[in-house]
Amino acid sequence: MNEWRYENFKYALNILIEALNFEEVNDIIIDGIIQRFEFTFELSWKLMKEFLEHEGIEANSLRSVIREAFKIGLIYNGDKWISMLTDRNKTSHIYDEEESRGIYVNIKESYVKEFIDLLKKFDQIMLSL
């Protein structure tokens, strides 16, 4: 397992959480949070893929990484992760303020919890290596 990827995921998540704790929310803050969500999501699925490979589990696509991570208990809510993937895919095409606010709400109300749960799981894994 690559400790570098784990540390980068942890760092990206901490920055995302810090951004979500801003008192004043405006379009610039929301744009930054969405960008941080993209970084954190990319690092999270690549970390999961690396762990699956370490465990001898083949997962070639992002969806298969999510599916296999759910099967082995690395993540707890596969449907939420698929929703995260869908929203992450939308973020590169967002021109609609209402849609970006909806993704922001999803990040704040549920996606960040999924990232935190994954980090806790990897904290345990890294201690055992």
Side-chain angles (χ1 to χ4, degrees), residues 10-125:
K10 186 178 354 183
Y11 177 77
L13 177 55
N14 286 333
I15 298 295
L16 175 60
I17 291 168
E18 186 178 327
L20 286 167
N21 287 324
F22 276 115
E23 293 289 323
E24 183 181 334
V25 176
N26 59 40
D27 290 341
I28 293 171
I29 299 295
I30 290 173
D31 289 350
I33 288 169
I34 289 172
Q35 182 75 48
R36 282 286 156 192
F37 164 71
E38 290 173 337
F39 293 154
T40 307
F41 184 83
E42 290 302 309
L43 289 166
S44 70
W45 85 262
K46 290 176 181 176
L47 181 62
M48 288 188 288
K49 181 174 178 21
E50 185 176 305
F51 179 76
L52 292 170
E53 289 171 354
H54 180 264
E55 296 295 303
I57 301 169
E58 188 174 328
N60 295 318
S61 70
L62 205 154
R63 283 187 186 271
S64 66
V65 167
I66 292 170
R67 186 173 35 256
E68 294 300 325
F70 177 71
K71 279 184 190 175
I72 66 166
L74 199 54
I75 58 175
Y76 304 111
N77 191 335
D79 291 338
K80 188 73 68 182
W81 279 85
I82 294 298
S83 294
M84 289 169 67
L85 168 60
T86 301
D87 277 354
R88 195 272 313 194
N89 289 340
K90 288 178 187 176
T91 60
S92 50
H93 309 295
I94 290 180
Y95 305 108
D96 180 353
E97 184 178 327
E98 186 175 322
E99 188 168 24
S100 68
R101 288 213 178 249
I103 291 172
Y104 161 76
V105 169
N106 290 342
I107 295 165
K108 186 170 181 90
E109 292 182 358
S110 66
Y111 298 165
V112 76
K113 181 192 177 312
E114 298 301 318
F115 289 140
I116 290 168
D117 287 346
L118 181 63
L119 178 61
K120 288 177 184 175
K121 194 76 167 173
F122 271 103
D123 286 343
Q124 294 171 347
I125 290 167

